[in-house]
Amino acid sequence: MNIAFFLIPKKEVVYLPIQSTMRQALEKMEYHRYSAVPLLDQEGKYVTTLTEGDLLWKLKNTPNLNFHNTENIRLTEIPYHRKNEPISIQAEMEHIITRAMEQNFVPVTDDKGIFIGIIRRREIIEYCASQMFAPAAN
């Protein structure tokens, strides 16, 4: 099975440049109601995934940090507690399923490491369910 079948292309994915501020991330994540977003560098390469937990820990561990001054904190200053490893567009389905067990979505990169989209756990589960519960062919 070609994993491109499951790919949500970059143009349809909410992501942030790594140079963004904490406030920009909070506002974008709130607006879209996402608990995690991919972060990309200036060349469009996947860097990491920012989670609500990363933002909460930064808030907790930074004295006098409040919503208004989050505009002074760059995402590069935030410690990331989990690394969502990307997969290559050439990856096998087994590899994707393994990653999806650990992550809500799996970032996908091309051969040069450029971010091209994500595969959500939801689509993988739907596919697996359709295969498990499909009527047997006669």
Side-chain angles (χ1 to χ4, degrees):
M1 159 104 354
N2 187 332
I3 70 166
F5 174 77
F6 299 103
L7 185 73
I8 297 170
K10 178 180 177 180
K11 68 180 182 178
E12 297 175 23
V13 175
V14 174
Y15 61 89
L16 287 164
I18 191 73
Q19 306 85 359
S20 300
T21 66
M22 187 174 175
R23 184 169 181 161
Q24 289 170 318
L26 287 163
E27 289 176 345
K28 187 165 267 200
M29 290 170 78
E30 177 188 28
Y31 178 80
H32 292 282
R33 297 200 174 282
Y34 289 159
S35 60
V37 292
L39 300 181
L40 309 182
D41 69 12
Q42 304 89 314
E43 298 170 354
K45 292 183 177 180
Y46 172 78
V47 177
T48 192
T49 295
L50 176 71
T51 67
E52 288 177 324
D54 298 328
L55 297 170
L56 288 170
W57 283 111
K58 179 65 175 174
L59 187 62
K60 177 196 175 285
N61 294 323
T62 307
N64 302 316
L65 182 60
N66 60 48
F67 178 72
H68 297 292
N69 59 16
T70 58
E71 64 193 22
N72 300 320
I73 306 288
R74 296 273 166 207
L75 297 182
T76 53
E77 300 172 46
I78 296 175
Y80 304 102
H81 293 84
R82 188 179 284 185
K83 175 86 168 141
N84 279 13
E85 293 291 334
I87 59 165
S88 165
I89 190 67
Q90 306 299 327
E92 298 294 323
M93 190 63 184
E94 181 179 309
H95 196 139
I96 297 165
I97 291 172
T98 301
R99 287 281 166 81
M101 289 189 313
E102 304 163 359
Q103 307 169 181
N104 289 334
F105 64 85
V106 180
V108 181
T109 59
D110 68 11
D111 295 336
K112 295 179 181 175
I114 303 295
F115 177 79
I116 59 173
I118 64 171
I119 297 175
R120 293 186 302 201
R121 184 185 294 166
R122 175 183 181 161
E123 279 74 24
I124 295 168
I125 292 171
E126 286 174 351
Y127 170 77
C128 291
S130 73
Q131 298 302 302
M132 285 177 56
F133 302 120
N138 292 325

